Amino acid sequence: MNTYRAKMRTRASWVAAAAAVTAILFAALTIYRDQLPTLPSFIKGFHQGAFISLELLAAWFVINYLRIRNHEAKLRKWQIAETDERTGLILRNASTLAMSVIFTGLGIATIVSGFFSATVFFSLMGCLLFILIVFYSLWVYYAKKL
């Protein structure tokens, strides 16, 4: 159990650090907003919503860790839930189907957008290439690892 407790402590530290870095970046970009290009209000709203959501999610995780770290039964329950093979299999199968749908949808959207806007086409093409590079890199990594 001490191994899992240390693992949770490390995760909580990384989440707290990511939340702090995100807060610093968001604050800096907000302070220097007048030196940046003017953005439509819906983009500003999206930025604020994404920031608040990320911070709330990070706080939820850290608070949950702090709440269960000294309770052996709760910690054991989290470890069992995390290492459950059935849940892992369901997640892997859902991820496989999701990746197929994402590749297909993004590929079709890239082709269709080429008829209407070069900016959207190159944005979608960049997203598609990024996802493909990450997917095949992980595929090669796990093929060698297993």
Side-chain angles (χ1 to χ4, degrees):
M1 192 55 57
N2 287 334
T3 305
Y4 186 69
R5 183 176 279 119
K7 186 177 184 180
M8 290 294 287
R9 186 178 302 118
T10 302
R11 283 185 193 169
S13 298
W14 278 107
V15 169
V21 168
T22 302
I24 291 168
L25 286 172
F26 187 77
L29 290 171
T30 302
I31 290 169
Y32 295 108
R33 186 172 298 259
D34 57 340
Q35 297 173 4
L36 299 172
T38 303
L39 297 174
S41 63
F42 69 91
I43 292 178
K44 291 177 187 176
F46 179 82
H47 288 162
Q48 291 170 346
F51 169 71
I52 290 169
S53 298
L54 180 68
E55 294 297 317
L56 288 175
L57 185 64
W60 176 84
F61 180 80
V62 172
I63 288 169
N64 272 333
Y65 165 69
L66 292 175
R67 200 179 68 210
I68 69 164
R69 69 180 170 172
N70 294 324
H71 301 283
E72 287 293 321
K74 289 182 181 179
L75 201 59
R76 181 78 179 141
K77 185 178 175 183
W78 271 47
Q79 182 184 23
I80 290 170
E82 186 176 305
T83 57
D84 181 35
E85 292 177 6
R86 182 174 179 267
T87 304
L89 181 62
I90 291 169
L91 184 60
R92 274 192 301 275
N93 288 342
S95 298
T96 301
L97 179 60
M99 287 305 294
S100 299
V101 171
I102 289 170
F103 286 146
T104 304
L106 204 50
I108 291 170
T110 302
I111 292 168
V112 171
S113 69
F115 291 103
F116 299 103
S117 171
T119 303
V120 175
F121 170 79
F122 286 115
S123 297
L124 290 174
M125 179 63 76
C127 291
L128 183 60
L129 289 175
F130 175 75
I131 291 171
L132 284 170
I133 289 168
V134 169
F135 176 76
Y136 285 115
S137 298
L138 289 173
W139 188 357
V140 168
Y141 171 76
Y142 283 116
K144 289 181 180 178
K145 184 177 180 182
L146 301 175

